[in-house]
Amino acid sequence: MNQPYLSPDDLPSHKTTLISEVLLSQLEETIKQRFFAVCDRSVRLLLSGCHWYFKINSGILILIMVCHDIESYQNIMMTVPHLAEKLKQFANQAKISISSPVNQGVPWVISVNDIFFGEESSER
C-alpha cells in the first residue's frame, strides 16, 4: 500500500486540483490555436487532415498527431523540422508524437531538441 509522502494538510485541495486542470486545458487549447496560426498554409492543410492536439506533461509541451491514412502520415513526417521550429516558439522543452494508421508505419516520438535543422537554422 502506497502512502503519500505529504500529510493531507500539505496536499492541494480538490478545488485547487480542478482549477489547475481547467487552466492547463485552456493553456493547451490556446497554444493549439496560436501554433496553427504561425504555421504556413501548406502545413495548416496537413494538420487539417489529421487529428492533432497539445498536451502538457511534467512541464513538457507535446504535439500529438494521429494520422488517418498513410499519405497524411508520410506528408506530416516530411514537415517535422518545420513543426519543431514552430514549437520552439512556445516552449523550451517540447516533443512531437506522430501515430500512423494502424499497421502502417511506425509510431514516432521525438524531442524537438533532437531534430537536426541544418546549417541555416544553426546560424541563428
Side-chain angles (χ1 to χ4, degrees), residues 12-22:
S13 70
H14 180 69
K15 184 177 180 180
T16 301
T17 302
L18 288 176
I19 290 171
S20 294
E21 289 172 6
V22 168

Side-chain angles (χ1 to χ4, degrees), residues 41-52:
R41 187 175 184 275
S42 61
V43 173
R44 286 187 212 158
L45 288 171
L46 289 174
L47 290 172
S48 297
C50 62
H51 177 68
W52 65 282

Side-chain angles (χ1 to χ4, degrees), residues 4-5 17-18 20 35 52 64 66 70-71 73 75 80-81 96 100 115 117:
Y5 293 104
T17 302
L18 288 176
S20 294
F35 178 79
W52 65 282
I64 300 172
V66 180
I70 196 67
E71 184 179 349
Y73 175 75
N75 290 333
V80 166
I96 299 173
S100 62
I115 297 172
F117 293 99

